Amino acid sequence: MLLLAVGLFVAGCGGSEEPSQGPSPSPSSPSPSRSATPAPVSLSVTPEELRGADPCKLINEDVLAEYGKVEYDRGISYGQCDIQVNAPDAESVSVFVDLQDGPSDVSAGAPAPTSVLRDGVTVYESEDVDALSGSNCTRDVVVREQIAAVGIGVYGDESVTRACRIADNAAGDVSRLLKAGDLPSARHAPDSLANQDACELIKEREAARLPDIDPGERHAAFAGQSCSWGGKSIDERHVTVYFQHVDDALEGSPLTVGGRPAAMRYSAATHSGLLGTSLPACTVNVEYAEGGPTAKGRTEVVSVGVAGELPEERLCSLARELAPKALSRLPGA
């Protein structure tokens, strides 16, 4: 989800809190319909079509260009796109697009997302004003309730005047595409990690090698790009598999997994910072293939991580044990 898109742990699901009253739309934003008997439109776009879409092409550049120079970054996952909007006054905001299953997670203490209708399309709205980062605004455009949505998050608006206007306009453009039923395809290669399901790479009995977790408690990302067993956040014990495409060399102790270059990294526990408290974790990153059309020049990487209150040697030993099992279940491995 979008809250986790800026973090290190990418497996997770949408929030399940009951909607509460959210922020009013900006005067310059399209006014959402709030009739007593809402009549949402029936979208022909399927969740499968959304998974195959290019998230960087779901918002027309012209929609964002009025707020500054637009720069696209493919992010690290096929289900995500990072867009930087740099205003002439040197202020910039980050726009994250995420293919997900439901409303975005919100930070602790922030209001739960509010469900409204915008031109017949259900949109979950949320806004949070932070003393350090300014205004953060999300708009989650629903394709199928609790099954598929396009998450749009605008972060770092220090002026506290633009985040929700940008998010509203972007959501309107996404809704237009969804109603037209003509999503821009990402043209993923057949054997790309974009077409794989991270949840199929680890068996419950294997995840159970991590003590004190329920391996049957599985948390899957909508686009299949990540999955965790046990907990789903960085302060809970969990085994996780996630896919990335990167343009830098792998960092950590060099390994070979299934005949492929790999690297192992250990992370100590943290008790503060952007993501808050985290448990110690060890991750094995394995080079899988060259990135497809939407990630040209990058390397697809399979990451297998283990987090828990265990010694470094035991965590990393388990990560090294699980990584080749996960890799062996991918095409061509």
Side-chain angles (χ1 to χ4, degrees):
M1 293 313 180
L2 280 167
L3 184 64
L4 298 180
V6 295
L8 301 177
F9 179 57
V10 295
C13 300
S16 58
E17 299 167 282
E18 290 299 316
S20 64
Q21 184 61 42
S24 299
S26 165
S28 61
S29 308
S31 178
S33 54
R34 299 176 185 269
S35 61
T37 55
V41 298
S42 179
L43 299 174
S44 61
V45 171
T46 66
E48 291 73 23
E49 288 171 332
L50 181 63
R51 178 175 175 174
D54 183 346
C56 282
K57 293 184 179 178
L58 295 180
I59 303 171
N60 192 302
E61 185 174 349
D62 292 344
V63 172
L64 302 175
E66 66 176 284
Y67 301 100
K69 182 181 178 181
V70 181
E71 297 180 1
Y72 287 85
D73 187 326
R74 289 291 173 177
I76 63 169
S77 168
Y78 283 115
Q80 299 173 345
C81 181
D82 303 344
I83 308 169
Q84 197 76 11
V85 182
N86 302 301
D89 57 7
E91 285 189 359
S92 65
V93 296
S94 298
V95 180
F96 293 96
V97 182
D98 196 6
L99 308 183
Q100 55 196 46
D101 55 5
S104 298
D105 295 328
V106 296
S107 56
T114 301
S115 174
V116 302
L117 278 180
R118 289 182 173 271
D119 297 325
V121 178
T122 301
V123 179
Y124 282 86
E125 301 181 346
S126 179
E127 181 181 11
D128 182 29
V129 178
D130 183 88
L132 294 177
S133 62
S135 177
N136 305 321
C137 209
T138 64
R139 299 290 185 260
D140 304 317
V141 186
V142 175
V143 175
R144 295 285 189 278
E145 193 71 52
Q146 298 303 319
I147 295 177
V150 179
I152 302 163
V154 183
Y155 298 94
D157 175 22
E158 296 180 6
S159 69
V160 198
T161 61
R162 298 184 299 160
C164 285
R165 282 190 291 141
I166 294 173
D168 285 336
N169 289 343
D173 204 45
V174 169
S175 296
R176 175 188 58 78
L177 263 183
L178 294 177
K179 288 195 288 187
D182 186 21
L183 295 182
S185 172
R187 299 179 293 117
H188 297 307
D191 59 349
S192 169
L193 289 179
N195 297 320
Q196 310 308 318
D197 185 350
C199 285
E200 297 297 321
L201 303 189
I202 296 290
K203 306 299 182 185
E204 284 189 20
R205 67 179 182 277
E206 296 165 351
R209 299 274 290 116
L210 178 65
D212 301 323
I213 69 166
D214 177 2
E217 187 176 339
R218 195 175 72 174
H219 310 279
F222 163 73
Q225 295 291 281
S226 63
C227 191
S228 70
W229 292 259
K232 69 171 185 175
S233 64
I234 59 176
D235 62 351
E236 298 176 301
R237 286 189 177 214
H238 64 265
V239 172
T240 183
V241 175
Y242 57 97
F243 304 146
Q244 307 177 67
H245 45 71
V246 300
D247 53 11
D248 297 319
L250 298 180
E251 295 183 2
S253 303
L255 299 171
T256 299
V257 176
R260 299 169 187 263
M264 182 177 68
R265 294 191 67 184
Y266 172 76
S267 303
T270 62
H271 302 285
S272 61
L274 178 64
L275 298 178
T277 301
S278 70
L279 295 180
C282 191
T283 302
V284 173
N285 299 306
V286 186
E287 293 185 8
Y288 176 68
E290 292 184 5
T294 59
K296 219 166 249 255
R298 297 191 176 196
T299 302
E300 294 188 335
V301 173
V302 180
S303 298
V304 179
V306 182
E309 308 93 332
L310 296 173
E312 176 181 348
E313 181 179 350
R314 190 168 179 193
L315 284 176
C316 289
S317 175
L318 184 52
R320 287 197 307 269
E321 175 187 324
L322 294 177
K325 295 181 184 297
L327 188 68
S328 69
R329 295 175 179 127
L330 288 167

